[in-house]
Amino acid sequence: MTTKKDRCTLSLFPAHARPNTANLTRLFFTLFCFSFTSTAFAFAPSTGLEELLVAAAGSFVFSIIAMIVIFIKLKKNFLPRLLIALASPLLVFPVCMGGSMGTSYVMHQISQLKDNNETQRLAQDEQDAWQRNLLRISACDGDRAVLKTELASGKYDITVKERVLTECVLPKADAIAMRAMLIDLQTQDKDAKAHCAYLDPVLQRLDTGLLDVFVEQKLSLTCPSKTFSYAVEANKTAPSWWDVVDSKRNSDTEQLLTTLRYLQAHGVDMKIVVVGRSLLSLAMESSKTELILFALDAGVDPYTIPAESNMLSPLQIWTLQRFSYADLDTYGEVDRKRIQSRLREMNGKEADTLAHKLSSRSGLETAKDGGAGLLAYLIQSGANLRQLNRDGNGILPGYSKVPSALLAVLNKLNDQQLLDLICPEAGEYGDSYQLYEEARHYENQPLINFLKQRNMPATCPDQKK
């Protein structure tokens, strides 16, 4: 650690006798100067804590020095001189700490200002260089001859070319420049997926005119997704046009559909399902009626139940929406009927699976009516009452709120059905679950009162898997 030459030293003290108060004043002033001029005090290794420790160590050293100097220089009897020397750190230490941290703060501000200025300078230099870039200028100005020459020069990497595409080619929908860039890309890179670097931003623009260039070059309109990169199954990979559906869910639906119809007309498989996701599940999540109907018309299977523990089939997603489990403000009554007319009712297996997956979605409570309509529908669909609450991870935990509408649904069950619900089958590891007992544990009085009124047993009979 380097040090600066101290400008304030103990040489300020004259050799001849002076009043003690003047000597002390000079001493403390000297120490204060030391705290500001010593780089050891102002140096910050990496963190605020380390800086504080360095400052404290330096202040401690100066406190010891002050004690020694005061003891030697002070013209008093031994005992008063000793007491004053011992008491001096009470003033010296905080003065040195204050000076140290103050100096450090100033140095940090100066360093940060220099860094900011350097960053701004570099950014400005980069922007100036970009404005002078011949590839950018030729693409933005529509000078096709220079554009082809610059592309053929091999001076530009794919990052620069993508930036030119985004800033110049796409805003102008320049098909001629797009063609030149695609030809260059295929010349420079023989990878069959190299064109995906250009296809993805074109898809996001929903510009079928530029997609014509890819078709003309006989390039695939299906590339791997970035948003759903985790969705890989056997030889299938989530397609990048899913990214468009996901990101444009709040955009103009008709423009999105135009692009999807274009892709479909040029051989893109709209029915692909990867790790439980599909165009239809994305459409269901978007709450776009026309997009949902397009996916159904395209033949996407709404009934395949994903293997993932928390994922639902499109039919199950729709069932939650249908019974106001999710926000349905974008659906009108006509739209609900149009969608429902294209789907069959749930079967028992689908109802059982949906019930178990509700445990990770706050049970029935998320529904606007407290889940009364959804529970009634699941029971009507043939859900196995002995499995709805299996392992305690089902549709009605003991701590659940039970509004009157939900109690009315439960009350329609006969005694055996209600007993099956509150005393389900044992779980995979032989664990039994008792709804009545859990309700009492959580002091869920409405549910307790209902079960008492129905004369349900407080303890379930022996349960077997």
Side-chain angles (χ1 to χ4, degrees):
M1 184 180 298
T2 59
T3 60
K4 296 178 181 178
K5 185 177 180 181
D6 297 325
R7 298 179 181 178
C8 302
T9 65
L10 295 178
S11 62
L12 291 171
F13 285 78
H16 58 278
R18 291 258 182 133
N20 291 337
T21 54
N23 289 339
L24 289 175
T25 301
R26 288 187 175 186
L27 172 64
F28 291 133
F29 179 73
T30 299
L31 292 170
F32 185 72
C33 288
F34 263 114
S35 68
F36 272 99
T37 58
S38 173
T39 56
F41 278 58
F43 178 72
S46 59
T47 66
L49 178 60
E50 290 176 342
E51 181 180 347
L52 188 63
L53 292 175
V54 170
S59 299
F60 176 77
V61 170
F62 274 97
S63 297
I64 298 299
I65 294 173
M67 287 174 61
I68 296 172
V69 172
I70 289 174
F71 185 78
I72 294 173
K73 292 288 185 177
L74 196 61
K75 305 300 183 181
K76 286 185 177 293
N77 293 331
F78 176 80
L79 185 57
R81 185 159 38 109
L82 178 62
L83 293 175
I84 294 173
L86 292 175
S88 62
L90 297 176
L91 179 60
V92 174
F93 188 87
V95 169
C96 290
M97 280 291 290
S100 170
M101 300 310 292
T103 304
S104 179
Y105 175 78
V106 171
M107 290 181 66
H108 274 302
Q109 295 302 310
I110 293 174
S111 176
Q112 187 174 5
L113 181 61
K114 289 173 63 178
D115 290 343
N116 290 341
N117 289 340
E118 181 65 14
T119 301
Q120 292 177 7
R121 185 189 67 78
L122 292 175
Q124 186 60 48
D125 289 347
E126 181 183 352
Q127 182 61 25
D128 292 343
W130 176 245
Q131 294 300 318
R132 297 191 299 270
N133 185 291
L134 288 179
L135 184 64
R136 187 201 70 81
I137 293 173
S138 59
C140 288
D141 292 350
D143 191 335
R144 278 55 182 259
V146 176
L147 176 64
K148 291 180 180 179
T149 302
E150 289 299 307
L151 287 171
S153 70
K155 295 187 297 183
Y156 307 102
D157 60 22
I158 189 63
T159 302
V160 173
K161 293 174 183 178
E162 287 179 14
R163 188 173 177 182
V164 169
L165 177 74
T166 302
E167 292 187 14
C168 302
V169 178
L170 294 183
K172 293 184 176 182
D174 191 339
I176 297 177
M178 184 81 256
R179 183 178 297 107
M181 294 187 71
L182 276 174
I183 293 173
D184 163 75
L185 187 62
Q186 294 175 83
T187 302
Q188 301 291 333
D189 194 336
K190 300 301 182 181
D191 185 356
K193 295 293 184 182
H195 71 286
C196 292
Y198 295 165
L199 177 62
D200 292 344
V202 170
L203 284 172
Q204 290 291 339
R205 296 284 296 191
L206 303 177
D207 191 327
T208 56
L210 291 179
L211 288 175
D212 284 337
V213 182
F214 289 84
V215 174
E216 169 196 298
Q217 299 292 320
K218 296 181 171 54
L219 296 171
S220 172
L221 296 178
T222 301
C223 288
S225 166
K226 295 179 180 178
T227 304
F228 303 98
S229 57
Y230 64 87
V232 178
E233 185 177 53
N235 295 323
K236 296 185 296 183
T237 302
S240 58
W241 54 267
W242 279 10
D243 299 348
V244 180
V245 178
D246 184 62
S247 62
K248 300 296 184 180
R249 61 176 60 190
N250 295 320
S251 302
D252 184 341
T253 304
E254 189 53 42
Q255 190 179 14
L256 175 60
L257 288 174
T258 298
T259 302
L260 292 177
R261 291 189 186 104
Y262 180 95
L263 295 175
Q264 185 181 36
H266 288 86
V268 173
D269 182 11
M270 295 283 116
K271 297 186 290 185
I272 184 172
V273 179
V274 186
V275 194
R277 281 201 172 274
S278 66
L279 170 61
L280 184 54
S281 62
L282 292 171
M284 289 290 186
E285 293 168 2
S286 74
S287 298
K288 297 283 188 180
T289 302
E290 297 303 327
L291 186 58
I292 293 171
L293 296 176
F294 170 81
L296 289 169
D297 288 338
V300 183
D301 185 0
Y303 307 118
T304 301
I305 301 175
E308 306 298 337
S309 60
N310 196 36
M311 292 186 66
L312 305 174
S313 70
L315 175 63
Q316 291 172 327
I317 295 173
W318 168 248
T319 300
L320 294 184
Q321 295 175 328
R322 179 183 174 188
F323 290 95
S324 302
Y325 193 87
D327 184 6
L328 288 180
D329 292 342
T330 54
Y331 290 107
E333 189 60 31
V334 173
D335 289 336
R336 291 180 189 236
K337 290 180 178 179
R338 290 175 68 198
I339 295 172
Q340 184 56 41
S341 67
R342 303 291 301 278
L343 298 168
R344 62 165 171 76
E345 300 294 344
M346 293 182 69
N347 58 37
K349 179 182 178 181
E350 292 164 341
D352 286 337
T353 305
L354 176 57
H356 280 281
K357 292 183 178 183
L358 284 180
S359 61
S360 61
R361 301 169 182 261
S362 303
L364 293 169
E365 295 180 17
T366 305
K368 293 180 181 179
D369 63 352
L374 180 58
L375 179 59
Y377 179 75
L378 293 177
I379 294 172
Q380 179 185 344
S381 298
N384 189 329
L385 290 171
R386 293 212 64 198
Q387 293 184 1
L388 284 182
N389 274 328
R390 193 176 185 184
D391 297 326
N393 293 322
I395 200 165
L396 189 66
Y399 52 79
S400 296
K401 295 179 181 178
V402 279
S404 57
L406 184 59
L407 290 176
V409 174
L410 295 175
N411 200 37
K412 290 181 180 179
L413 299 174
N414 61 40
D415 289 347
Q416 185 58 52
Q417 289 174 323
L418 185 56
L419 184 62
D420 288 344
L421 179 65
I422 68 174
C423 297
E425 292 180 353
E428 182 180 355
Y429 301 103
D431 299 328
S432 60
Y433 174 76
Q434 302 185 43
L435 179 61
Y436 200 158
E437 183 177 313
E438 187 174 271
R440 290 193 299 180
H441 173 75
Y442 288 103
E443 299 180 353
N444 189 342
Q445 205 58 46
L447 185 55
I448 293 171
N449 292 340
F450 168 76
L451 295 174
K452 280 183 179 180
Q453 182 183 354
R454 287 293 303 267
N455 296 318
M456 289 292 108
T459 303
C460 289
D462 291 340
Q463 297 168 321
K464 297 181 181 180
K465 286 189 65 175

